[in-house]
Amino acid sequence: MTAVASPRRPARSRAYLTGAVLAAWVLLWALFGGQGTLPLGGAELTPLHERIGQAADAVDAGRNSNPFFLYFVNYIRLVIDAFVTFVQALISSPSFGRPVPAVGWLGVTAVASAVALLYGNVRVALLTAAGFVSFGLLGLWQESMDTLALTFTAVVLSLAVGLPLGVLAGLNDRFDRLVSPVLDFMQTMPTFVYLAPLTLFFLIGPASATVATMVYAIPPAIRVTSHAIRQVPPETVEAGASLGSTPWQLLRKVRLPLAKRTVIVGVNQTIMAALSMVTIAALIDAPGLGKTVLKALETLDVGTSFNAGLAIVIMAIVLDRATSAAGRRVETAHRAGRARSPLWRRAQVAVVLAVTAVLVYLSHVYVWASEFPAGVDAGSFVRSGVDAAAQWSQTHLYATTDAVRNLVTYGLLNPFEALFTGSPWWVVLPAVTAAVLALTTARVALVCAACLALLIALGLWQDGMVTLASTLVATVLVMALGLAAGVWMGRDDRADRVIRPVLDAGQTMPAFVYLVPILGLFGATRFTAILAAVVYAAPVAVKLVADGVRGVAPSAVEAATAAGSSRWQIISKVQVPMARRSIALAAGQGLCYVLAMVVVGGLVGAGALGYDVVSGFSQLQLRGKGLAAGLAIVVLGIMLGAITKAVARRAGAAARGRR
C-alpha cells in the first residue's frame, strides 16, 4: 500500500499548491487590475524596436559592400534564384513576359504521371494525371507550377543537405548528439518566425522562400535517414565487414540498400514539409498558390482563397500518394530479392518513356499542348459557389455560429485575456513562475521567469500576453477534442479506422487551407484564428492520445472489468491515468502546433504578436517591431516547450511508479 500511495501524495500536493497560486493571482488581479500592465506593444514603437529597424537598414545599406554579402550570401541568393527560374522556365505558362516553356502543361502532366506509374502503380498515375489537369481546370495552372517549382527546388536542395547529414548522424553517435538539439530547435520554432530574418540576408522572393523552406524541410530528412541507417541489422554489417568490405563499400552496398525503403519515408516527409512551407512563404513574396490565398485572405475573398486552397490540397494529396506508393514498391522489391526485372517490366518502361517523350515534344512545339486551354475554367464556378455558400452560411447559420463564437469568446478567451493582460506585470511574472515551480522543477521555473522578463525587455508585454492567452485557450480546446476523440479511437477499432485517415489527411494540408472554410463561417475575428489553430493542432493530439490509450496493458483493463468497474470508471480510473504520459506529450505537441498558427491568425483578426510580424513584412517602418515580435514568439515557444517537456517527463516517471 505504501508503494502505491507514495507517488500520489506529491501529485496531489502539487495540484493544491498550483491551485493556491492561481487563486492568489486572481485575487491580486481583482485588487490591482489595470495597474502596471505595460501597454507598450500596441501601436507604439519602443527605442529597442527603432534600434532593430536601424540595424536592419544598416544590413540593407551594406548588402553591396560587405564582403560577407558580396562573396557568400549574394552568390547563394543568385544560385537559388537561377535554379528556381530555370525550373519555372521549364514548366510555367508563357505569360508576364516569360518565354514559352520547354515543357508545357501536357508534357508536365505526362512526366508526372510517368514517374508515378514507374515508381508507383496505375492508380497513383491516374490520380497524378487527374490532379495536374485539375490545376488547369481551376484556372491556376501557372500558380500551381510556380508552387511546384519552388517545392521541387527546396526538396532537391534539402535532400542534398539532409541525406548526407542523416547518413553521418546514423554512423556517428557524437555527431548525432551534436545535431539533435539543433534539429529540435528547428522543428519546434514556429515556421513564420525565421521568415523576417531571412529576408534581411536574401531579400524577399524565391531565394529567401527556398531557404526558409529548407530550414523547415531538412530536419525530417536528417532524422529519418539517421533512423534508417541505424536500423540496419548489425549482423548484416558484420557479415559484410568479415568479407573485407571497406566502410564506403559497406555504406554503398549494405547500409543504403537496406535503408532505402525508410529513406523514402523521409523523402515523403520532406516533400510535405516543403509544400506546407512554400505556401506560407507567400508572406515574403514567394510566387504560387500561397500568394493567391494570402491576397484573398487580406480582402476576405473566400471563394478565391478556397479555389487556391483546393489546388494546394490536391497537390499535397498527389505528392503524398506518389511518394508513398514508391515506398511500397521499394519494400515489395526488397522482399522479392534482387532478381532481374522481367521482360514485361522492361517493355513497360520503354513504352511509358516513349509515350512521355512524344507528349513532351508536342507540348514544346504546339501552343495547344503548351498553354492550358484558356476557355476551360471551372475555377469560376468553384469561386462563385463557395462565395454563395459562405454568404448563405453567414445569413442562415449566423445564430449557431454566433452562439459558438460567443461561448468560446466570453467563456474562455475574454477571462484568460483579462487575467493575463489586466494583471500587473509584477503579479504575472511571479505567479506564472510559482505555478511552474509547483508543477515542474526550479530550472524550468527560472527559464519561464527569464522568458517573461525578455518579453518586457522587447517592449511587447501586452501583445505577448494576448498571444499567450489565445494559445492557452486554443490548447484547452485541442486537448478537450483530443481526449474525447482519442479515447474513443483508442477503445474502438472501427472508430480508429474511420477517423485516422481523416486525421492523416488533415496533417498533410498546409496551414493556410484551414483558414478558408472557417473564415467563411465565422468571419475575421479572434475566434476564427483560435478555431484555425485548433483544427491545425487537433490531429496530432488526437492520434497521440489514441495511441496512449491503446497502449494500456489489456490485463489492467480486464482486472478493472472483473472488479465490476463501469465503462466510465475504466476510462477515468485506468486508461486515462495510465496513458497520461502520451496525454502530456499530446498537450506539448498541441501547444507547438497552436503557436505555429499565431502569425496566420494575425491575418484574420487575432492581432497581437501575429499581426506585429505580418505588419513588419508589409511596412518598412515597422520592420524592427516585426523582428522583435518574431523573437517574442520564439521566447513563448521556449517557455511553453520547457513546461510541457517537464510535465511529460514527470508524467512518465509517475506512470513507471504506478507499475
Side-chain angles (χ1 to χ4, degrees), residues 24 53 85 102 219 299 302 305 318 333 339 513 526 534 560 613 616:
T85 302
T299 58
V302 179
S305 60
V318 168
V513 178
R526 293 178 300 165
V534 170
V613 173

Side-chain angles (χ1 to χ4, degrees), residues 79 93 102 137 155 165 176 191 294 319 361 392 452 574 600 614 628:
V79 169
S93 297
L137 294 177
V155 169
L165 292 180
D176 183 64
T191 53
L294 179 61
L319 294 176
Y361 173 78
W392 181 90
L452 292 175
V574 178
V600 174
V614 173

Side-chain angles (χ1 to χ4, degrees), residues 83 149-159 209-210 213-214 217 270 274 278:
F83 192 2
L150 274 176
T151 303
F152 177 80
T153 304
V155 169
V156 169
L157 296 177
S158 297
L159 294 179
T210 302
T213 303
M214 290 175 62
T270 301
V278 160

Side-chain angles (χ1 to χ4, degrees), residues 29-306:
W29 166 72
L31 293 174
F32 301 102
Q35 304 178 27
T37 54
L38 297 178
L40 294 175
E44 303 177 20
L45 290 178
T46 68
L48 177 62
H49 302 161
E50 294 175 351
R51 286 195 295 271
I52 295 175
Q54 292 167 0
D57 293 338
V59 171
D60 286 338
R63 191 175 304 280
N64 296 319
S65 58
N66 190 302
F68 176 70
F69 284 94
L70 281 176
Y71 303 110
F72 183 68
V73 174
N74 289 351
Y75 279 105
I76 294 177
R77 178 168 58 84
L78 291 173
V79 169
I80 294 176
D81 277 338
F83 192 2
V84 175
T85 302
F86 170 74
V87 178
Q88 285 178 318
L90 284 177
I91 63 178
S92 297
S93 297
S95 59
F96 300 105
R98 295 177 180 176
V100 176
V103 183
W105 77 268
L106 185 62
V108 172
T109 304
V111 170
S113 303
V115 171
L117 178 61
L118 295 178
Y119 290 95
N121 52 54
V122 175
R123 184 182 302 175
V124 175
L126 292 175
L127 174 66
T128 301
F132 274 73
V133 170
S134 70
F135 300 148
L137 294 177
L138 292 172
L140 295 168
W141 178 262
Q142 178 175 309
E143 292 84 350
S144 300
M145 293 304 100
D146 286 340
T147 297
L148 188 63
L150 274 176
T151 303
F152 177 80
T153 304
V155 169
V156 169
L157 296 177
S158 297
L159 294 179
V161 175
L163 293 182
L165 292 180
V167 171
L168 182 58
L171 296 175
N172 190 309
D173 291 337
R174 181 178 299 176
F175 181 76
D176 183 64
R177 289 192 298 270
L178 178 67
V179 78
S180 289
V182 179
L183 299 179
D184 290 340
F185 181 74
M186 292 169 67
Q187 289 188 295
T188 56
M189 186 170 57
T191 53
F192 299 93
V193 171
Y194 44 77
L195 293 182
L198 286 174
T199 59
L200 284 178
F201 292 94
F202 299 99
L203 302 177
I204 61 173
S208 55
T210 302
V211 175
T213 303
M214 290 175 62
V215 173
Y216 189 58
I218 284 176
I222 297 176
R223 287 192 185 278
V224 177
T225 303
S226 174
H227 173 69
I229 295 296
R230 288 179 179 274
Q231 73 175 5
V232 173
E235 56 271 14
T236 306
V237 179
E238 292 171 1
S242 65
L243 295 175
S245 299
T246 64
W248 170 248
Q249 290 173 326
L250 285 175
L251 176 63
R252 189 165 58 91
K253 299 291 188 181
V254 179
R255 295 183 189 272
L256 287 180
L258 292 177
K260 184 164 60 174
R261 48 184 172 170
T262 305
V263 170
I264 291 178
V265 175
V267 173
N268 173 274
Q269 294 297 309
T270 301
I271 291 173
M272 301 314 297
L275 178 60
S276 176
M277 191 62 198
V278 160
T279 56
I280 292 171
L283 288 167
I284 54 175
D285 202 34
L289 295 168
K291 180 177 287 189
T292 304
V293 175
L294 179 61
K295 290 182 178 178
L297 288 176
E298 290 174 346
T299 58
L300 302 183
D301 187 350
V302 179
T304 300
S305 60
F306 181 89

